[in-house]
Amino acid sequence: MKVFKFGGASVKNADAVKNVASVLRHFEGDSLLIVVSAMGKTTNGLEKLVKAYVDHDAAAMQIIYAEIKDFHNEIIKGLLKRADSHAYDDIENLFIELECLLETQAEGSYDYNYDQIVSYGEIFSSRILSTYLKESDIANRWIDSRNFIQTDAHYREGKVDWDLTSTIIGRKLKPIVQKQKVVTQGFIGQTPDKQTSTLGREGSDYSAAIFAYGLDAESVTIWKDVAGVMNADPKRMPNAVKINGLNYTVAIELAYYGATVIHPKTIQPLQSKGIPLYVRSFMDPEAPGTEVSTAIQEENSTPFYIFKDDQAFIRISSKDFSFIAEEHLTHIFSLMSACNVRANVMQNSAISFSLVVNDDPKKVDVLLEALSKDYQVNSERGTQLITVRNYENADLKSLLGDRKVWLEQRGAKVLQLLAAND
Ligand code: ASP
Ligand code: MG
């Protein structure tokens, strides 16, 4: 039994959906659970729709809703085998359902409304995919992942009830997947009150891992538009190379530093059951891609590069140039937590304490103001944090050029540099 995950890019138009079917033809005899994300950029569109709904902006709501509906109808049109086919009629009903929801008054919190509306993206995509596969003689059953993934009522960031979820998946879903291929949604779950919840943006990888955990699947494959896990974002480093194998521990570390190929929460449930994760290209389903597993013992010595833009560098010293001591640090951390700011890097010296944080102006401005009351504070905005694993093999010169480096931190394997933008 295997779990496959197809992200938004793999179902962004009719040709892409057809390609998913052709990937699946390579796995005819396999028991598969197929997890799919919303099509293309639908989630972003739905986020705008939520805002218009909560703001009672009927005009905006109409425009955005029509865009989302047209986008899906265009895909359906491209998938129709016969112009008079009624195969996709039930998707029209789902749109009517969403339309009815939008006509009601918004009640409850923003996050609650967000989950009720944004979750439609995955419902639409999974319905369309399941229908298209059936039309293409790939037998499958559509299931609603909300019946299986049980979360708390923390909307937009639902916390999974692992015991309940894995029990239901093992008992109810496993026998279904043993019999036929199943198509379901990523990203969405259900609260104890039977309301829809979501697992956080880009959460479909995580859903795949949750299902794999409950099913005791033999593997999870994330099908992407890249050959596998690369040692850098190829958009930033054209000479980026594909990594064949990666140990779980290293994968977690890379995710922690901000590598975006694998959703950080995905790895832990897989690691705990020793389920290997494959990242493979949906354009080249024969190619092996990248394997992430405990079986990969060999430490890969290829340097990995992770970039984080828009970083704020904050240097804090005491007003009287005394040492920054424990009580100061406690105070600084409490201010950070009050402003909801997380440190990406910290460095301590005799009379100063430095922080690198995501430069979210709303939060950072408040933090800087709060700090200035008790400390001398200097800040540098718009810097870039570069994390390099295996830096001894890295070409730092061409990475940095003659950019100013505001901060440098070296561990045995990991080097972090905070560089000015030009
Ligand atoms: N559709 C959701 C998002 O775009 C979940 C996902 O793609 O993983 O955030
Ligand atoms: Mg997505």
Side-chain angles (χ1 to χ4, degrees), residues 144-415:
D144 191 325
S145 69
R146 291 170 292 195
N147 293 333
F148 299 97
I149 297 194
Q150 306 299 308
T151 71
D152 64 3
H154 193 162
Y155 294 103
R156 291 182 75 173
E157 202 65 58
K159 209 168 149 271
V160 174
D161 180 336
W162 281 97
D163 281 344
L164 185 59
T165 300
S166 50
T167 307
I168 308 176
I169 291 175
R171 243 191 242 148
K172 302 249 165 77
L173 185 58
K174 206 171 187 171
I176 301 175
V177 185
Q178 268 156 354
K179 272 193 250 138
Q180 65 206 305
K181 292 190 171 51
V182 168
V183 173
T184 193
Q185 311 79 45
F187 184 51
I188 68 175
Q190 182 173 265
T191 69
D193 293 341
K194 308 239 172 291
Q195 302 294 314
T196 302
S197 56
T198 64
L199 305 174
R201 283 301 309 263
E202 308 304 329
S204 295
D205 289 2
Y206 185 39
S207 300
I210 299 165
F211 279 117
Y213 183 95
L215 291 170
D216 285 308
E218 65 180 86
S219 65
V220 171
T221 305
I222 298 180
W223 295 94
K224 290 183 85 88
D225 54 1
V226 288
V229 175
M230 312 287 285
N231 75 325
D233 177 352
K235 283 184 213 111
R236 295 185 193 255
M237 297 186 98
N239 55 352
V241 293
K242 195 201 81 178
I243 302 299
N244 295 329
L246 203 60
N247 189 283
Y248 269 126
T249 321
V250 179
I252 290 175
E253 197 181 307
L254 295 175
Y256 169 81
Y257 287 120
T260 52
V261 261
I262 305 165
H263 189 277
K265 285 186 188 160
T266 308
I267 299 165
Q268 197 269 334
L270 299 180
Q271 184 187 29
S272 75
K273 282 211 173 173
I275 301 171
L277 172 72
Y278 299 97
V279 179
R280 297 172 66 177
S281 163
F282 57 70
M283 300 314 293
D284 189 6
E286 304 277 352
T290 300
E291 175 179 346
V292 183
S293 74
T294 38
I296 313 283
Q297 297 294 343
E298 192 60 17
E299 166 74 77
N300 197 312
S301 63
T302 314
F304 279 91
Y305 302 90
I306 301 157
F307 298 88
K308 271 193 182 184
D309 292 325
D310 299 321
Q311 300 292 298
F313 177 51
I314 305 174
R315 199 161 55 210
I316 305 158
S317 36
S318 57
K319 285 195 164 156
D320 57 2
F321 288 99
S322 61
F323 291 153
I324 290 278
E326 284 72 15
E327 61 270 26
H328 296 126
L329 293 178
T330 309
H331 180 225
I332 292 168
F333 284 133
S334 73
L335 291 177
M336 285 167 65
S337 119
C339 297
N340 212 350
V341 171
R342 242 199 69 212
N344 293 328
V345 186
M346 294 180 276
Q347 201 167 61
N348 203 7
S349 74
I351 55 160
S352 75
F353 179 67
S354 301
L355 283 173
V356 180
V357 303
N358 293 347
D359 196 353
D360 174 343
K362 271 192 238 128
K363 295 178 181 172
V364 173
D365 291 347
V366 180
L367 176 65
L368 288 174
E369 203 184 307
L371 287 167
S372 313
K373 290 199 183 100
D374 297 289
Y375 307 95
Q376 160 120 21
V377 182
N378 296 308
S379 66
E380 201 59 48
R381 312 290 284 264
T383 58
Q384 185 186 50
L385 178 63
I386 308 169
T387 303
V388 189
R389 198 187 149 85
N390 300 327
Y391 63 87
E392 63 282 6
N393 303 323
D395 178 6
L396 299 176
K397 270 227 159 55
S398 61
L399 192 64
L400 287 170
D402 47 16
R403 285 192 281 167
K404 181 176 171 66
V405 173
W406 290 99
L407 174 142
E408 183 177 321
Q409 204 161 76
R410 253 168 228 266
K413 290 245 181 277
V414 175
L415 168 69

Side-chain angles (χ1 to χ4, degrees), residues 44-65:
N44 296 351
L46 287 164
E47 283 188 339
K48 288 194 200 121
L49 188 61
V50 176
K51 187 165 181 308
Y53 173 64
V54 173
D55 290 348
H56 308 287
D57 186 344
M61 219 152 63
Q62 225 163 33
I63 294 170
I64 302 164
Y65 172 78

Side-chain angles (χ1 to χ4, degrees), residues 5 7-9 37-38 40-41 43 122 201-202 204:
K5 182 258 175 175
S37 305
K41 305 265 179 247
T43 306
E122 270 66 15
R201 283 301 309 263
E202 308 304 329
S204 295

